[in-house]
Amino acid sequence: MNIRVVWLAGLAALSMAGCASRGPAVATSPVLSDPEAIAAAQATQATREAWLAGRGDWSFEGRVAVNAQGKGGNGRIDWRQQGDAYQVALSAPVTRQSWRLSGDLHSDAGRLEGLEGGPREGDDVELLLKEATGWDIPLQSLVRWTRGLADAEYRSDGPAQLEYATDGRLRSLRQQGWRVDFMDWFPPEGERPAMPRRIEAARDGAKVRLVVDQWDFESP
């Protein structure tokens, strides 16, 4: 059986397992337009970036929905980052199907497990994911986007365009043709700054929705 057919069949199961977890829509704040308020929001964002830059080991658990050209589904996601190495696990609670993608930010190579026929490896992790699943997702940029940061390594289309909400938090960013909206945030907790709770990213016919249940950071 074609590997993509296997994956899409799994996505159908994910959709059944996760459709009830989307939750109600979250109202977002209007976009800032006052120059002084924007400058204050940029300073807050710079403080967040500095704090996050000092914590290379982190993880989050949550729910994800992916739609690519009308095909997709929902499920649980567990992202674990240790320095440059990442492991992303996706699972369907009802069917117990699961997939795991692993790689390193210093290398484009990656490994995808959980597919019929055994693991798949490739020199380009994003191409590997697209060929196996049909998902065209900028995985390495998501390492930063999920934490409410622009991808500083990606410059081919110029710097990211950032907008801030009237509450002073990042409202959206545009990069690589993607628009990433930060719909809701966890408030600051102790030294930890505000962190994204709900994110929606879209480009052309692809859309990714992420709802984070919990963030964890190891001390530097």
Side-chain angles (χ1 to χ4, degrees):
M1 183 180 293
N2 182 278
I3 192 172
R4 185 176 297 185
V5 173
V6 174
W7 181 274
L8 291 176
L11 285 178
L14 285 175
S15 182
M16 294 177 62
C19 62
S21 66
R22 293 184 183 181
V26 177
T28 56
S29 302
V31 175
L32 275 179
S33 58
D34 178 70
E36 291 187 3
I38 292 174
Q42 290 173 334
T44 299
Q45 179 70 359
T47 300
R48 288 188 68 252
E49 291 195 20
W51 191 90
L52 291 167
R55 288 157 178 82
D57 295 350
W58 51 270
S59 64
F60 71 77
E61 298 175 5
R63 292 153 286 163
V64 64
V66 177
N67 186 299
Q69 305 299 330
K71 297 180 180 180
N74 306 270
R76 296 291 306 177
I77 185 171
D78 185 341
W79 188 308
R80 300 191 178 277
Q81 192 81 23
Q82 291 185 307
D84 292 320
Y86 59 83
Q87 287 192 344
V88 184
L90 181 67
S91 62
V94 174
T95 64
R96 299 185 183 274
Q97 288 179 288
S98 63
W99 300 268
R100 184 177 299 273
L101 184 67
S102 57
D104 190 290
L105 296 180
H106 281 312
S107 170
D108 290 333
R111 177 183 175 91
L112 184 60
E113 302 172 80
L115 297 167
E116 187 176 276
R120 296 290 187 273
E121 296 182 356
D123 294 332
D124 185 330
V125 66
E126 293 177 8
L127 180 60
L128 173 68
L129 186 64
K130 184 177 180 179
E131 290 179 345
T133 69
W135 294 2
D136 184 10
I137 297 175
L139 188 75
Q140 295 203 359
S141 290
L142 283 176
V143 174
R144 291 184 62 83
W145 292 353
T146 55
R147 291 177 291 158
L149 305 171
D151 185 355
E153 301 298 323
Y154 191 89
R155 295 289 184 181
S156 66
D157 60 350
Q161 302 174 38
L162 276 62
E163 293 181 328
Y164 297 90
T166 52
D167 60 8
R169 293 173 181 163
L170 185 63
R171 172 63 181 83
S172 68
L173 67 84
R174 295 176 183 269
Q175 197 167 30
Q176 303 185 47
W178 288 83
R179 177 187 172 98
V180 185
D181 290 312
F182 299 91
M183 314 295 289
D184 193 20
W185 290 76
F186 288 102
E189 184 177 307
E191 294 183 354
R192 195 210 71 192
M195 293 299 298
R197 187 198 304 266
R198 175 177 167 181
I199 304 168
E200 296 186 1
R203 184 182 71 176
D204 301 329
K207 180 174 288 188
V208 181
R209 295 187 180 94
L210 174 67
V211 178
V212 178
D213 295 326
Q214 178 178 319
W215 283 98
D216 287 303
F217 292 90
E218 294 186 17
S219 300

